[in-house]
Amino acid sequence: MTATLGALAWLIVVVLFGSVVPVVPTGAAVSGAAALAAHQHPLTVVLVVAAGALGAYAGDLATYVVLAWGGERIARRLRWLRDPERFERMSARVREGRVSMLLVSRLIPGGRVPVLLAGAVSGLTWRRFAVANAPASLTWSVLYAAIGVVGRAVFPEPWQSVLAAIVLVLLVSQGLSWWSRRRTAPAPPPATP
């Protein structure tokens, strides 16, 4: 039991760190932990979901505080914020408190920080962000834990299911990233006769 609690504490730390420094594959960490937990005891998967959600939530709050503090300076340096129409659309969605916007930003690689920055710069209060981000963090953790549990269902050995969960998360992340880039790519100019 002590080993399990230690592993859950490390999962919280890894996800929190990855939420602040977005180069750590936090989804893969939650999926791998869930795959391993499913081999031990099904109840442990619930603890993995809670640990992943707690780490994501705390990391997002820390990131939001930093972005709210330095948001104007950061916003002036980013190219995508120079388009006022695009920035205003994103800011409006975030201000409305849409949990779906926060959830989508968590699922698309590189999407979370711009949405948090748009919220911070547009004046979304910390309290409103904290309330809206809780279900987004929990849903994100459930989704990635489910990927790990699917890996457990397919592969009999714990190492196989952990590896499968990590590979699946990386493939899904890359696919979402590709889809996001494709959607926002400018359309080619029409051919002139």
Side-chain angles (χ1 to χ4, degrees):
M1 184 64 168
T2 304
T4 301
L5 292 176
L8 291 170
W10 272 110
L11 180 62
I12 291 170
V13 169
V14 166
V15 173
L16 190 151
F17 181 75
S19 293
V20 175
V21 181
V23 294
V24 176
T26 55
V30 171
S31 292
L36 193 57
H39 279 281
Q40 294 174 351
H41 193 281
L43 181 59
T44 312
V45 175
V46 174
L47 297 175
V48 166
V49 168
L54 179 62
Y57 184 72
D60 284 355
L61 290 180
T63 303
Y64 192 77
V65 167
V66 169
L67 292 174
W69 175 72
E72 290 293 330
R73 290 186 300 260
I74 295 169
R76 279 189 234 119
R77 294 179 184 207
L78 296 176
R79 179 180 41 114
W80 66 270
L81 286 178
R82 291 187 186 135
D83 178 10
E85 184 179 310
R86 181 175 180 189
F87 178 70
E88 185 51 41
R89 278 195 318 265
M90 184 181 298
S91 295
R93 287 183 198 149
V94 173
R95 275 193 312 268
E96 290 171 5
R98 290 188 182 174
V99 173
S100 61
M101 182 70 170
L102 293 171
L103 178 61
V104 169
S105 75
R106 273 208 141 280
L107 296 177
I108 296 175
R112 188 178 55 82
V113 173
V115 169
L116 295 181
L117 181 59
V121 170
S122 68
L124 180 67
T125 65
W126 186 83
R127 177 178 285 193
R128 189 163 181 187
F129 170 75
V131 170
N133 193 49
S137 295
L138 180 62
T139 305
W140 170 85
S141 187
V142 167
L143 177 70
Y144 279 103
I147 292 171
V149 170
V150 167
R152 160 54 176 109
V154 174
F155 297 100
E157 294 295 320
W159 70 268
Q160 293 170 330
S161 57
V162 169
L163 182 63
I166 291 171
V167 168
L168 185 58
V169 165
L170 293 175
L171 288 173
V172 167
S173 294
Q174 291 304 313
L176 287 172
S177 180
W178 172 81
W179 180 67
S180 176
R181 282 191 310 269
R182 184 177 161 98
R183 256 186 47 181
T184 59
T192 56

